[in-house]
Amino acid sequence: MGTRALLGLLLFIPLLQPRRAWAGSLKSPGLSECFQVNGADYRGHQNHTGPRGTGRPCLFWDQTQQHSYSSASDPQGRWGLGAHNFCRNPDGDVQPWCYVAETEEGIYWRYCDIPTCHMPGYLGCFVDSGTPPALSGPSGTSTKLTVQVCLRFCRMKGYQLAGVEAGYACFCGSESDLARGRGAPATDCDQICFGHPGQLCGGDGRLGIYEVSVGSCQGNWTAPQGVIYSPDFPDEYGPDRNCSWVVGPSSGAALELTFRLFELADPRDRLELREVPSGSLLRAFDGTRPPPAGPLRLRVAAVLLTFHSDARGHAQGFALTYRGLQNIVEDRAQPKGSAQTPEETPGRANASCSPRPVTLQAAMGARVFSLATVVSVLLFLLLSLLLHLLRRRNCLLAPGKGPPTLGPSRDTGRSWTVWYRRPRRMALPCPTGDPQAESPAAGYRPLSASSQSSLRSLISAL
């Protein structure tokens, strides 16, 4: 399904480094229920050790208190345990498992063979008889072997497939090797990687085969749907990584991205989504600002993902699925804590400059705003006139009793007294309790009763 590296170079030469880049999956990923190599994220409903009801039935997790793991040991549901008997991986083992009824040999748990829990990019378990080898390319061994160590080795050699065997051996190959390969039960690939206790590296005479695009640092993805992993996945990403991937399905006017895993070390480790070819920022996420939980829909035909880690960066990373869409209503809601620069609306450059139709709500809002403006201006003019009159009469307003207040008092026992100043003399109200406060200040005389009544009416109206 995927495009070869040469096609990726032709489609997007500026982004690619001299080393070879990979253009996506060899086959379309199904609706996988796992995106971690050990299936720790499996939340499916298989309740037998074998697929489609075969194998031993699993015990319910709320009935296994005599063992180390039960629903009581996972009250928050972090491991997916509960009142059910579905396969889970609560202890970070190499694959999901469940407790079974104890056998005469004392076996009380078994791994689950779950076809839908093979992480995208893992092609399965295959027989390696050695004559000829299942993968015909170069090989090597390492006491520190992990899945990504083997993937990186075969990627550097220019091969499309990498196979791990017996916990310490790595083999490289191509699609033609896979075509003649002979499959084996998934449970046959049960050897722990020498370099990582939480990963499986094939088995005795069994190869666990992966596409080398898993965990690559760059690529050009043109398939209708696919999965992109952080660099070095399923290992943790390393420090000072600067990676980029172009996602542009050959058919579709929009994209839907869904993050299946997201774990960055800190705010300095950052994943950005930019529109191609404009380069405008669409979204940005980091260790403190994760992406939304659901699908993220963008009205762009292609997007550039760039990832940067700082000098201390070490974390699991991310896994996201994408698919092309024909037509969507773009998700413009900005996720909480995430940076966003909305992209250009298609056809915006050709948009007309004519005004948009005015809606009824907009017209009513404009009318209310205009009315409020007129009222404010009238009140301002009235207040200015009042101040002008007071300034000409040199008036001083002071309450007759009690502390000074502006405007008429709510206390019926307190009234306004208005004094006007004689020329060249001025006095302020005396403090409360001063004997002079009971009588008008020297140099002042009261207005007439009718003038005070008119002024009080005017102040009350304001």
Side-chain angles (χ1 to χ4, degrees):
M1 177 188 86
T3 314
R4 297 293 185 90
L6 180 59
L7 180 57
L9 288 169
L10 292 175
L11 289 175
F12 212 83
I13 292 176
L15 283 176
L16 302 182
Q17 304 294 330
R19 62 184 180 183
R20 191 172 183 179
W22 302 99
S25 226
L26 295 173
K27 61 180 182 178
S28 175
L31 295 177
S32 176
E33 294 183 284
C34 298
F35 292 86
Q36 288 180 280
V37 68
N38 64 350
D41 57 331
Y42 177 69
R43 296 296 182 267
H45 295 163
Q46 181 168 316
N47 58 4
H48 283 68
T49 58
R52 294 175 293 279
T54 62
R56 303 283 300 278
C58 298
L59 299 180
F60 281 75
W61 292 102
D62 59 353
Q63 299 175 1
T64 58
Q65 285 81 2
Q66 71 274 24
H67 299 301
S68 299
Y69 294 94
S70 67
S71 57
S73 61
D74 185 27
Q76 305 298 325
R78 185 164 53 105
W79 301 329
L81 308 184
H84 59 76
N85 64 338
F86 306 136
C87 299
R88 294 291 184 264
N89 188 1
D91 58 349
D93 206 336
V94 293
Q95 63 189 89
W97 54 273
C98 69
Y99 290 113
V100 297
E102 189 171 355
T103 64
E104 295 180 357
E105 295 81 14
I107 298 174
Y108 58 91
W109 68 273
R110 287 188 180 276
Y111 288 124
C112 297
D113 180 6
I114 309 174
T116 58
C117 189
H118 295 156
M119 60 173 280
Y122 176 68
L123 303 180
C125 188
F126 292 83
V127 175
D128 184 16
S129 60
T131 52
L135 296 179
S136 58
S139 62
T141 60
S142 173
T143 57
K144 297 181 179 180
L145 184 70
T146 67
V147 171
Q148 186 55 228
V149 166
C150 184
L151 292 175
R152 192 180 302 119
F153 171 76
C154 295
R155 195 158 50 231
M156 291 176 60
K157 295 292 184 180
Y159 285 83
Q160 295 172 299
L161 304 178
V164 287
E165 182 175 349
Y168 66 93
C170 174
F171 298 84
C172 305
S174 60
E175 286 184 80
S176 58
D177 295 328
L178 189 66
R180 57 180 175 79
R182 185 158 54 95
T187 51
D188 284 2
C189 290
D190 58 356
Q191 295 290 317
I192 295 174
C193 298
F194 279 26
H196 197 300
Q199 296 179 10
L200 285 177
C201 283
D204 187 11
R206 299 292 185 268
L207 273 174
I209 299 181
Y210 292 82
E211 300 170 8
V212 297
S213 59
V214 173
S216 62
C217 191
Q218 58 188 20
N220 211 4
W221 301 76
T222 58
Q225 60 181 3
V227 182
I228 298 176
Y229 291 102
S230 55
D232 305 324
F233 196 92
D235 296 350
E236 293 183 344
Y237 64 82
D240 296 319
R241 299 310 304 269
N242 292 282
C243 303
S244 60
W245 305 266
V246 177
V247 181
S250 54
S251 60
L255 284 172
E256 179 183 273
L257 307 179
T258 304
F259 285 85
R260 308 294 180 171
L261 296 170
F262 191 85
E263 180 187 335
L264 302 188
D266 54 50
R268 292 177 295 275
D269 296 348
R270 182 179 174 92
L271 177 67
E272 293 183 351
L273 282 64
R274 294 183 178 273
E275 184 182 4
V276 174
S278 70
S280 60
L281 181 64
L282 303 176
R283 300 289 192 277
F285 311 109
D286 56 42
T288 59
R289 299 181 299 173
L296 179 62
R297 299 181 178 92
L298 303 172
R299 192 185 294 276
V300 294
V303 66
L304 169 67
L305 285 79
T306 59
F307 173 74
H308 168 75
S309 64
D310 63 7
R312 297 180 297 176
H314 278 285
Q316 180 61 73
F318 59 85
L320 67 89
T321 58
Y322 77 86
R323 66 187 183 105
L325 301 176
Q326 293 299 323
N327 190 19
I328 62 165
V329 176
E330 182 186 352
D331 178 13
R332 286 186 175 270
Q334 180 173 354
K336 181 180 180 181
S338 70
Q340 171 183 351
T341 302
E343 59 275 6
E344 297 277 340
T345 304
R348 184 172 180 179
N350 299 323
S352 172
C353 294
S354 59
R356 296 181 181 178
V358 180
T359 61
L360 179 60
Q361 292 84 351
M364 292 179 62
R367 196 168 303 156
V368 170
F369 178 77
S370 300
L371 181 60
T373 303
V374 171
V375 172
S376 300
V377 171
L378 291 176
L379 288 175
F380 175 77
L381 293 175
L382 183 59
L383 182 60
S384 299
L385 178 61
L386 174 63
L387 293 176
H388 178 70
L389 292 174
L390 292 177
R391 189 177 296 112
R392 292 188 61 183
R393 296 194 59 136
N394 296 317
C395 287
L396 178 67
L397 293 119
K401 292 188 180 290
T405 56
L406 294 178
S409 171
R410 295 181 182 178
D411 186 356
T412 56
R414 179 182 303 169
S415 61
W416 281 97
T417 303
V418 182
W419 305 89
Y420 69 92
R421 190 177 61 182
R422 288 178 178 175
R424 297 186 301 275
R425 298 192 65 182
M426 178 176 181
L428 296 176
C430 297
T432 305
D434 194 309
Q436 297 181 7
E438 299 300 327
S439 61
Y444 284 79
R445 60 185 178 184
L447 293 174
S448 64
S450 60
S451 298
Q452 292 192 42
S453 176
S454 300
L455 191 55
R456 279 198 303 271
S457 299
L458 180 59
I459 293 174
S460 300
L462 290 176

